[in-house]
Amino acid sequence: MKDGVVPVYVNNAFHWIMSYRMEGVGVRSLILVFDVKDEVFREIILPESLVNAIETEVDVKRFGDSSIAVIFSSVPREFHNSQIWVMKEYGVIESWVEYAKVGKRRKGKSTVLGFRKNGQLLVKFFRGQIALINQENQCIQNIALQHLGAHAFVDNYVESLVLFDKGNAVETRPSGKPKRRRINRE
């Protein structure tokens, strides 16, 4: 695995891209998954066109509420582009579909930072501009023009009703129905 890679957390599991060398075959890549609930590792096979990519060319991202996407970023001499594949049904290898291509820029590399829940791409362009790309109509909306540096990171925010510093605010009555308890905020 690449150093400094942040795993993607989807469906109670962490996901990383991993590459290994097979004698007579060459480099093979896959998604390594650690299921937090069952405490086991498993593998998800990449789309056929990406299995020979090396891990520095592929990233895994969260897509929607419960699936993943992989972004293959090639760096040929003339153009930089990213190919995006989405697993429409999590865990079903046959459900990989090519979602988009981003880039084809002569100078610099476009980096896919993540996805909005509506499927829009959040992209950082070569000079640091951040934009949303709507895949349906190919519309690009600039949202930030300042340089964010080389290591921009995006993650999903999920609200929680759990108060970690106050304990459980719900007690159960003998009848099995929850009883509300007032929490003192000091």
Side-chain angles (χ1 to χ4, degrees), residues 27-161:
V27 174
R28 302 290 284 182
S29 292
L30 54 83
I31 299 172
L32 181 64
V33 180
F34 179 71
D35 188 312
V36 176
K37 181 181 168 195
D38 298 330
E39 297 184 356
V40 295
F41 283 97
R42 63 180 193 275
E43 299 173 355
I44 294 178
I45 305 300
L46 291 170
E48 188 61 35
S49 65
L50 302 182
V51 294
N52 294 322
I54 57 175
E55 63 189 285
T56 56
E57 297 176 322
V58 184
D59 284 317
V60 63
K61 304 280 185 193
R62 176 186 201 85
F63 186 82
D65 290 328
S66 61
S67 198
I68 56 175
V70 291
I71 293 98
F72 171 71
S73 299
S74 62
V75 188
R77 293 177 190 217
E78 292 184 31
F79 292 105
H80 300 270
N81 64 39
S82 297
Q83 196 179 54
I84 302 165
W85 290 78
V86 170
M87 184 174 262
K88 288 290 189 178
E89 188 176 341
Y90 181 80
V92 178
I93 306 306
E94 296 79 21
S95 72
W96 281 116
V97 294
E98 190 171 5
Y99 186 72
K101 288 184 181 180
V102 175
K104 294 197 176 178
R105 305 176 70 78
R106 279 202 177 273
K107 292 185 177 180
K109 179 180 174 185
S110 301
T111 304
V112 177
L113 297 175
F115 302 89
R116 294 185 69 188
K117 288 192 180 207
N118 63 6
Q120 287 180 322
L121 299 164
L122 187 62
V123 178
K124 182 181 105 170
F125 292 106
F126 170 65
R127 298 194 191 273
Q129 301 97 330
I130 304 293
L132 288 171
I133 300 176
N134 185 325
Q135 281 306 109
E136 292 178 14
N137 60 16
Q138 296 297 306
C139 183
I140 298 175
Q141 175 186 357
N142 287 321
I143 58 173
L145 296 175
Q146 67 187 56
H147 184 69
L148 292 176
H151 302 290
F153 175 78
V154 172
D155 202 356
N156 292 337
Y157 170 74
V158 179
E159 276 192 57
S160 173
L161 297 176

